[in-house]
Amino acid sequence: MRSTELEPCFFDDDVHERKCRQQVHDLTTAYLSEINIVEEKPGAIEKRFEVPLIDPSTGEDLGIPLVGIVDLVLDGMDGPVIVDFKTAASASSSCQVQHEVQLTAYAYLVREVFGRDESALEIRQLVKTKTPKIVVHRFPPRTDEHFRRFFGVVREYLDSLDRGVFNYRSGFGCMMCDQARSCAS
């Protein structure tokens, strides 16, 4: 089944549709010319994971699951390689800071499901410039400090919810949310 049957894509007009299709073609061509996919061994593709949130430093069960859909997990010689895809108008050099929480969440999920620490994490940016390019940012495995920060953020969020405080925190999901305007005001 084609993905457009599951999630239809709507365009402003035929010109917009042709432009978008060309951009997809150009980005795909750039990706396939820059990434040697023949040598990659996927362990999971667009896989939904759900595991209990248990702080590894304290053993505390936070009482809720962590749910996430990881774009790609590759079988690496020294452990899984977690890959997240991003599209961007220009290449970013601040990926590690900008996406630390997301990458750490993915590492937690993969460690729990695969039973092994990741050997690396990658963000593969599909850059939508006139001549599309692919920029790969590779990061070492998550450290205890990453997980301390991650669980600190999760605890603070859960504590706020328990107090009935709903702090505005914009993110990618806001673009698809019917309540985005009311949150921001």
Side-chain angles (χ1 to χ4, degrees):
M1 174 177 281
R2 292 178 57 173
S3 63
T4 54
E5 292 172 11
L6 295 173
E7 292 184 47
C9 190
F10 301 100
F11 302 95
D12 298 335
D13 53 40
D14 290 344
V15 172
H16 181 230
E17 180 177 0
R18 279 193 300 278
K19 182 179 175 186
C20 289
R21 288 184 184 276
Q22 186 62 50
Q23 187 176 60
V24 168
H25 176 269
D26 293 346
L27 285 168
T28 303
T29 301
Y31 187 82
L32 293 173
S33 70
E34 293 185 36
I35 304 293
N36 186 353
I37 63 169
V38 173
E39 292 182 8
E40 296 185 331
K41 295 179 178 83
I45 300 171
E46 278 289 310
K47 180 71 176 163
R48 181 186 185 275
F49 296 116
E50 181 174 337
V51 300
L53 260 175
I54 301 171
D55 187 327
S57 64
T58 66
E60 175 190 5
D61 185 337
L62 300 184
I64 62 168
L66 177 62
V67 179
I69 299 173
V70 179
D71 289 345
L72 178 63
V73 179
L74 298 171
D75 294 332
M77 289 182 59
D78 298 322
V81 177
I82 300 165
V83 179
D84 191 52
F85 293 94
K86 303 285 185 202
T87 57
S90 61
S92 171
S93 60
S94 64
C95 281
Q96 184 160 336
V97 173
Q98 183 179 2
H99 302 293
E100 178 182 335
V101 171
Q102 181 183 19
L103 291 174
T104 303
Y106 287 171
Y108 182 83
L109 288 167
V110 167
R111 287 179 182 199
E112 291 297 308
V113 170
F114 284 71
R116 295 179 69 188
D117 288 2
E118 71 283 357
S119 60
L121 299 102
E122 289 185 357
I123 291 181
R124 295 182 181 178
Q125 282 186 322
L126 287 71
V127 184
K128 302 181 285 186
T129 48
K130 186 173 182 173
T131 303
K133 61 182 176 179
I134 309 304
V135 178
V136 177
H137 303 273
R138 190 170 178 97
F139 310 108
R142 301 285 91 169
T143 65
D144 291 343
E145 185 58 32
H146 286 107
F147 289 109
R148 270 193 286 283
R149 287 194 299 265
F150 173 73
F151 276 89
V153 167
V154 171
R155 272 198 194 85
E156 189 233 323
Y157 183 75
L158 292 174
D159 291 346
S160 293
L161 289 177
D162 288 343
R163 291 190 318 271
V165 176
F166 304 102
N167 296 317
Y168 174 68
R169 185 176 174 147
S170 65
F172 178 75
C174 294
M175 293 186 294
M176 297 170 277
C177 179
D178 295 335
Q179 303 302 315
R181 285 194 182 125
S182 60
C183 280
S185 51

